[in-house]
Amino acid sequence: MLPLSCEAILVPLFVVLLTASSASAGDNNNVYSPCVDTTVQFKDGFSFGIAFASRNAFFYNGNTSLQLSPCDSRLSLSSQTSQISVFRPKVDEISLLTINTSSFSPDSYGGYMVAFAGRKYAARSIPTFVANSTYTVTSFTLVLEFKKGRLQNLYWKRDGCAKCSGSSSSFVCLNNQDCAIRSSNCKNHGGSVDCSLGIQLAFSGTDKHLSVFNSWYEIENLRQYSLYNLYANLRDSLSSQYSKIF
């Protein structure tokens, strides 16, 4: 059975994409659907999706050894509680993807997410925990691995719980892997904290001309800083300037 287009499977979310460069020049990739195969080179745009659903929803007939891409209609995600975000970052630029949760609660849609792209050469990450009624993880790092310009793999790079050290009791370390905030403190659960998801994005491997991607090594060097806070401060600064004008 052939996979359907993403638009036929899931309902899009409102998404925000912040990159290190706002210019769109040099993009020679005319494939915009994350469910279509493509090969890329430096500075091309690359479309991929992130689907939100329950963990079991990403496995065929509940078989946890057979994970399918959200583009594959055999998952029947359209008949389940699921949502999708679609992004188009520039290849090999460090980017921060954000998903506004002011009107979206990940735990209401199963609490897990999978990053994906491609059709015949479908690639997908393993399901990763985002939120339940008790805890919400807001910071992630996603690496897109390419070979000769074709996506091979997407994987979540665990940051550990260093961000929890010295934090208030609102934060907790989950499974020694993720720093989470108590969901009751999030705005979408009646609290005061903006729990919008922030995903640091990096590339590894080679483009279709065999040039090596470097952004993953750059983001490793930046791990001593908070890339999310850097972009969040920039966004808040810009918003405050506009509010003064209007």
Side-chain angles (χ1 to χ4, degrees):
M1 183 180 296
L2 292 176
L4 300 176
S5 68
C6 292
E7 291 78 4
I9 297 176
L10 303 170
V11 179
L13 288 170
F14 171 73
V15 299
V16 177
L17 170 61
L18 297 174
T19 66
S21 171
S22 60
S24 59
D27 183 357
N28 295 303
N29 178 22
N30 60 4
V31 173
Y32 291 88
S33 170
C35 292
V36 176
D37 296 315
T38 188
T39 57
V40 295
Q41 62 185 4
F42 276 102
K43 304 305 179 183
D44 279 351
F46 180 76
S47 299
F48 75 97
I50 296 179
F52 294 85
S54 66
R55 186 180 185 279
N56 288 339
F58 297 108
F59 296 92
Y60 182 57
N61 284 342
N63 183 352
T64 55
S65 64
L66 184 55
Q67 183 189 343
L68 300 180
S69 167
C71 295
D72 196 316
S73 60
R74 289 175 293 177
L75 288 182
S76 300
L77 290 178
S78 59
S79 62
Q80 303 182 46
T81 302
S82 52
Q83 294 270 279
I84 184 176
S85 295
V86 177
F87 300 94
R88 189 175 174 84
K90 274 209 163 186
V91 172
D92 207 34
E93 287 191 358
I94 297 176
S95 304
L96 179 78
L97 317 180
T98 67
I99 300 176
N100 188 343
T101 59
S102 60
S103 58
F104 164 66
S105 298
D107 52 299
S108 298
Y109 295 92
Y112 282 77
M113 65 180 176
V114 164
F116 64 94
R119 185 174 181 175
K120 179 180 178 181
Y121 302 96
R124 66 277 187 195
S125 71
I126 62 171
T128 191
F129 173 77
V130 181
N132 57 24
S133 59
T134 306
Y135 300 113
T136 298
V137 180
T138 61
S139 182
F140 301 88
T141 298
L142 178 64
V143 181
L144 279 65
E145 183 179 15
F146 288 78
K147 182 178 181 180
K148 296 181 180 179
R150 188 179 300 281
L151 183 66
Q152 302 293 308
N153 192 22
L154 307 98
Y155 58 92
W156 303 102
K157 185 69 174 179
R158 300 295 186 182
D159 294 334
C161 292
K163 298 173 185 175
C164 294
S165 60
S167 299
S168 69
S169 58
S170 298
F171 293 87
V172 65
C173 180
L174 298 181
N175 302 317
N176 295 318
Q177 291 184 322
D178 298 304
C179 186
I181 189 169
R182 299 185 188 279
S183 297
S184 58
N185 292 317
C186 296
K187 289 182 178 179
N188 54 10
H189 285 275
S192 59
V193 180
D194 181 359
C195 292
S196 294
L197 307 184
I199 303 171
Q200 298 179 43
L201 184 70
F203 294 77
S204 69
T206 57
D207 75 354
K208 61 185 180 181
H209 302 301
L210 297 182
S211 297
V212 177
F213 294 142
N214 295 310
S215 60
W216 168 239
Y217 303 104
E218 293 172 359
I219 208 170
E220 276 284 87
N221 293 331
L222 286 171
R223 280 184 176 275
Q224 59 183 308
Y225 308 106
S226 173
L227 186 61
Y228 181 82
N229 287 340
L230 170 65
Y231 281 99
N233 292 338
L234 174 61
R235 178 190 59 195
D236 294 342
S237 175
L238 291 173
S239 298
S240 64
Q241 292 301 315
Y242 280 115
S243 64
K244 290 178 182 178
I245 296 174
F246 297 103

